[in-house]
Amino acid sequence: MQQVTVSLGSNIDPARHIRLCLDALTARFGALKISRVFESEPVGFDDSRNFYNLVVAFESDASPGELQAWAKRLEAEHGRCSNTPKFSPRALDIDLLTVGARCGVIEGVTLPRDEITRNAFVLQPLAELLPSERHPACGTLYTTLWQRFDLGAQRLWPVDFTWRGRLISQADPIALAAAR
């Protein structure tokens, strides 16, 4: 068994689709570690609907190709078509970030995923969820990567979010005010 991390995102009925995805992840992989849920402005999208983003970690013995195929099937079940433009709205976006300490292109999957160090909506929840763990390729702690991260125009803020009666995250009034 190895630890797997995935980022989840949605900008179509996001709370509903994220909850359904967490249900599916639990049914398939068991216990989950879940970051806070963040709302973020779309990066590269013409559509202005904000996203909900979070990172989830779980244990699995599935290969990267199997994990990727499972994620793509779940996205399709939530209405995502493989032929839609890259920067179009989506009910569910699942990106495989890491599979253990594997690096390179494995079964057609690039690990670790480049977005870890490029997007605040991936790195901040990952750093909060796994503060003492290191990026498999560069060996730097996720928390250190986050401390060095230049937000630039990227903005995100935690939102109130519950799942199965459990409070996953809570809005920060100061961050919310700054985002507006």
Side-chain angles (χ1 to χ4, degrees):
M1 297 290 265
Q2 55 198 341
Q3 180 173 264
V4 175
T5 59
V6 295
S7 66
L8 309 180
S10 174
N11 71 343
I12 298 174
D13 197 3
R16 177 176 165 267
H17 287 284
I18 295 296
R19 285 186 186 101
L20 290 170
C21 184
L22 292 172
D23 288 341
L25 284 165
T26 300
R28 172 66 176 90
F29 301 106
L32 306 176
K33 293 180 190 174
I34 306 169
S35 75
R36 290 191 296 170
V37 178
F38 291 86
E39 185 172 348
S40 64
E41 296 172 331
V43 175
F45 285 70
D46 291 332
D47 188 295
S48 63
R49 287 180 274 186
N50 287 351
F51 275 83
Y52 274 16
N53 297 102
L54 67 154
V55 170
V56 177
F58 53 88
E59 297 291 320
S60 176
D61 57 4
S63 73
E66 292 167 336
L67 292 163
Q68 181 83 343
W70 183 87
K72 295 306 166 200
R73 280 192 304 274
L74 187 58
E75 288 177 348
E77 288 174 18
H78 286 259
R80 186 161 179 196
C81 299
S82 60
N83 61 351
T84 57
K86 181 176 180 176
F87 293 110
S88 59
R90 57 213 46 200
L92 191 56
D93 186 26
I94 307 170
D95 291 326
L96 188 57
L97 301 176
T98 63
V99 178
R102 293 176 153 188
C103 294
V105 178
I106 304 159
E107 300 175 338
V109 181
T110 302
L111 295 170
R113 191 167 179 96
D114 288 343
E115 281 83 353
I116 292 173
T117 58
R118 288 201 318 242
N119 293 318
F121 60 82
V122 176
L123 185 55
Q124 183 173 7
L126 183 59
E128 289 182 3
L129 184 65
L130 304 171
S132 61
E133 296 201 17
R134 296 180 181 277
H135 186 282
C138 69
T140 305
L141 291 170
Y142 292 126
T143 51
T144 302
L145 290 171
W146 177 242
Q147 290 165 352
R148 295 177 185 163
F149 190 82
D150 178 10
L151 277 170
Q154 295 184 43
R155 298 188 317 161
L156 68 159
W157 52 94
V159 296
D160 290 331
F161 191 87
T162 57
W163 173 63
R164 294 186 172 181
R166 176 178 153 208
L167 180 64
I168 301 298
S169 69
Q170 200 165 9
D172 176 351
I174 295 169
L176 187 57
R180 299 201 170 161

